Amino acid sequence: MTDAVSLTDAFLLSSTSRKTDMTRKPTHLDAIVIGAGFAGIYMLHKLRNELGVRVRAFERGTGIGGTWHWNRYPGAAADVDSIVYRYSFDSDLLREWNWKNRYATQPEILAYLEHVVDRFELREDIQLDTTVESLTFDEDSNLWTARTDRGEEFTATYVVGALGPLSTPIFPDIEGRDSFAGTQVHTGAWPEGFDITGKKVGVIGTGSTGTQFVGAAARMTEHLTVFQRSAQYVVPAGDAPLSDEFIEDYRENHEQFWKQVFDSRVACGFQESETSAMEVSVEERERRFEESWEKGNGFHFMFGTFADIAFNPESNEAAASFIRSKIAEIVRDPETARKLMPTDFYAKRPICNTGYYETYNRDNVTLVSTKENPIVRITPTGVETEDGTRHDLDVLVFATGYEAMQGSYNRIDIRGRGGVTLKEHWGEAPSSYLGVATTGFPNLFTVFGPNSVFSNLPPALQTQVDWIAETIEAARRRGIATVEATAAAEEEWTAMCREMAEHSLFAQTDSWIFGSNIPGKKRRTLFYFGGIAAYREKLREIVAADYEGFTLDHEGSPTAA
């Protein structure tokens, strides 16, 4: 390993273990935001520019962007249409900034977020290169105290965690990982400027990120070895430039467009099907699948062709069989095609990529199925598999995912009422009320916490940020000191999410959606599967019922602005 530490480790350590002597007296704020990605940026705007509160956002990275700051790997891009991978809260912003292509790449998304930060003059209240190490609630003052790795201390009435659901990288426990003499890197902490051109590269993992990386890396490397644990159902992306006519129509009709997005299930910008795959003829099913395959997009293939692919085993098998037939048609080597064919339900997060299966027809790409031929150890020169093959590598890439939802919160020592930590409260099965609040932790809100809605992220994040801001505004206006989810509401929401998930085929596959990507971890429900329209309606109902499921404590109320 380079200088006894991987590039990923060095990259993370640079911003998480640095200590300074900048100790100062506590600084009081009305609110603290942790994170400066999509959610944190918008939360800062809502609190500071619209509510007028004193607020500061803390970001452990050296720049804003969250996911799009850290994920700089080759091929990194959004895999939902760019027109819905953005904010919708400002009409002028919607008109003035438009993507060039159907899908936005990492540099384009980061440039967009930089533009938003500058347009709304947020940069002065974002503190970069700063890790919040602890949060402690004081029951006498009803204040949170935040301490950072810079030795600073801040107090605030409200804290909003905007840490991202997928921001704590995980690595597989493989013998010899520390012995590798080349460069190791995780896709979720890709150093800026790190180049793999002309190198012998191995990648472990073929989820959404891994499949993106494979397609891009194959065109850059001398040789690419793909270590696949689980074969994936991948449909084409269908990427293409957006026409001037389309962009102009979007500018003029964006309000109607976004109404459809928020009234849907997965908020991906297309009309979702209401027809069962079993209600139509075999010929009609094949026609719709073929049409969607040619058009591209994983979410559209799963939710736009038929309504019950994720729920009805027969409909699911029809879709899965179609994709397997495409693999057999595209991949020239029968043995490679066989390894690439999934046999479980088509019920993980939908994946789409340009030319993924075609990549395995290249002479410089080798596929290793680790279910059939496991990795035995990592050596100084590469990876050794059970059949005795030594795969010589210059670079070893881990596209092995994240500790979803709770991982980033577990990094922070968060202590609520009675000194109980959030990590203790959550245990192995994190819970929340609505994905935004947890009992025992007053005035602490989480954007996309456990059991948030399963949908395209930017519309879901914006929904929660709007609701959190509305709640804070109401509390300040009414002289409410603390807003806290009740234990009963948290338990009921968590149970309902679990029951709803069990009625889907998602529950019958192993994926990060249920936390089963981490060996030894208890399987748990992490999402609300009722759709964004139903979720938004639930939020409205709770407000209309004077925040049903929350305790609103007026004692020791802070002064309303």
Side-chain angles (χ1 to χ4, degrees), residues 1 6 18 58 105 168 182 194 201 207 211 231 257 276 284 293 295 303 305 415 437 439 479 483 500 505 511 540 551:
M1 189 179 296
S6 72
R18 171 183 38 75
F58 296 93
T105 64
T168 302
F194 178 55
V201 177
T211 55
F257 176 86
S276 167
E284 176 62 12
W293 181 272
K295 182 178 180 180
F303 298 101
T305 53
R415 296 177 181 270
T439 187
V483 179
M500 187 175 290
L505 298 178
S511 75
R540 287 190 291 268
T551 298

Side-chain angles (χ1 to χ4, degrees), residues 173-246:
D173 184 15
I174 301 175
E175 178 187 336
R177 188 167 78 84
D178 292 340
S179 72
F180 184 56
T183 300
Q184 295 188 48
V185 60
H186 195 287
T187 51
W190 194 276
E192 186 173 3
F194 178 55
D195 188 10
I196 59 171
T197 300
K199 297 180 179 178
K200 291 179 289 186
V201 177
V203 57
I204 301 175
T206 54
S208 181
T209 293
T211 55
Q212 280 190 340
F213 176 80
V214 165
R219 299 190 297 271
M220 304 169 63
T221 57
E222 175 187 331
H223 194 274
L224 177 68
T225 304
V226 181
F227 297 95
Q228 170 194 274
R229 182 182 65 175
S230 300
Q232 300 285 352
Y233 294 97
V234 183
V235 305
D239 198 13
L242 296 174
S243 69
D244 292 340
E245 293 78 12
F246 179 89

Side-chain angles (χ1 to χ4, degrees), residues 251-485:
R251 282 174 172 157
E252 295 302 316
N253 300 294
H254 62 267
E255 290 183 4
Q256 180 181 351
F257 176 86
W258 279 95
K259 182 180 185 303
Q260 186 280 325
V261 170
F262 287 120
D263 286 345
S264 68
R265 288 180 62 86
V266 293
C268 287
F270 57 81
Q271 194 66 41
E272 295 153 0
S273 177
E274 297 180 359
T275 305
S276 167
M278 295 298 105
E279 292 178 6
V280 302
S281 66
V282 173
E283 292 76 18
E284 176 62 12
R285 280 202 300 272
E286 292 296 302
R287 187 195 68 77
R288 291 196 192 184
F289 287 145
E290 185 66 39
E291 182 179 68
S292 185
W293 181 272
E294 291 299 321
K295 182 178 180 180
N297 188 267
F299 281 91
H300 184 275
F301 194 89
M302 180 174 283
F303 298 101
T305 53
F306 296 101
D308 59 346
I309 287 176
F311 302 94
N312 183 333
E314 288 182 284
S315 298
N316 189 274
E317 176 53 29
S321 179
F322 178 87
I323 297 174
R324 287 194 290 265
S325 73
K326 288 295 186 180
I327 299 172
E329 178 184 311
I330 293 168
V331 182
R332 290 194 292 264
D333 177 58
E335 179 62 10
T336 301
R338 182 192 65 78
K339 293 177 183 177
L340 287 167
M341 285 190 191
T343 56
D344 54 356
F345 284 118
Y346 173 41
K348 297 182 181 181
R349 183 195 182 280
I351 298 176
C352 67
N353 279 303
T354 299
Y356 177 68
Y357 295 121
E358 289 85 349
T359 298
Y360 293 95
N361 291 330
R362 297 177 63 99
D363 292 336
N364 71 325
V365 177
T366 300
L367 175 66
V368 177
S369 171
T370 60
K371 283 187 176 178
E372 300 175 5
N373 186 18
I375 294 174
V376 175
R377 63 184 59 86
I378 295 172
T379 71
T381 59
V383 170
E384 183 179 338
T385 47
E386 191 173 68
D387 65 356
T389 303
R390 292 176 176 267
H391 303 270
D392 292 337
L393 304 171
D394 302 314
V395 179
L396 181 56
V397 176
F398 292 90
T400 45
Y402 307 86
E403 186 178 2
M405 300 301 190
Q406 67 188 113
S408 295
Y409 289 94
N410 286 346
R411 285 178 167 181
I412 305 173
D413 183 14
I414 303 174
R415 296 177 181 270
R417 292 193 186 279
V420 175
T421 69
L422 185 61
K423 187 174 182 178
E424 290 170 339
H425 178 76
W426 279 352
E428 292 189 346
S431 58
S432 77
Y433 184 35
L434 308 167
V436 300
T438 305
T439 187
F441 298 84
N443 292 350
L444 173 66
F445 298 99
T446 55
V447 185
F448 227 77
N451 293 332
S452 293
V453 61
F454 179 80
S455 78
N456 176 25
L457 274 175
L461 299 175
Q462 186 170 307
T463 292
Q464 291 188 332
V465 168
D466 284 340
W467 190 88
I468 291 168
E470 179 184 354
T471 300
I472 290 174
E473 181 183 29
R476 288 167 59 81
R477 183 179 66 250
R478 294 167 56 180
I480 294 168
T482 57
V483 179
E484 181 181 354

Side-chain angles (χ1 to χ4, degrees), residues 132-198:
V132 174
E133 294 188 323
S134 68
L135 289 168
T136 306
F137 183 71
D138 183 272
E139 297 182 54
D140 294 325
S141 65
N142 288 328
L143 293 177
W144 285 95
T145 298
R147 296 177 179 85
T148 76
D149 63 343
R150 291 176 175 265
E152 300 166 305
E153 190 170 288
F154 299 86
T155 59
T157 304
Y158 304 100
V159 176
V160 182
L163 300 174
L166 299 172
S167 55
T168 302
I170 58 171
F171 294 85
D173 184 15
I174 301 175
E175 178 187 336
R177 188 167 78 84
D178 292 340
S179 72
F180 184 56
T183 300
Q184 295 188 48
V185 60
H186 195 287
T187 51
W190 194 276
E192 186 173 3
F194 178 55
D195 188 10
I196 59 171
T197 300

Side-chain angles (χ1 to χ4, degrees), residues 47-64:
L47 291 173
R48 195 199 71 176
N49 295 345
E50 295 190 10
L51 270 61
V53 305
R54 293 169 296 170
V55 57
R56 184 175 300 181
F58 296 93
E59 168 56 53
R60 68 182 176 90
T62 56
I64 63 97

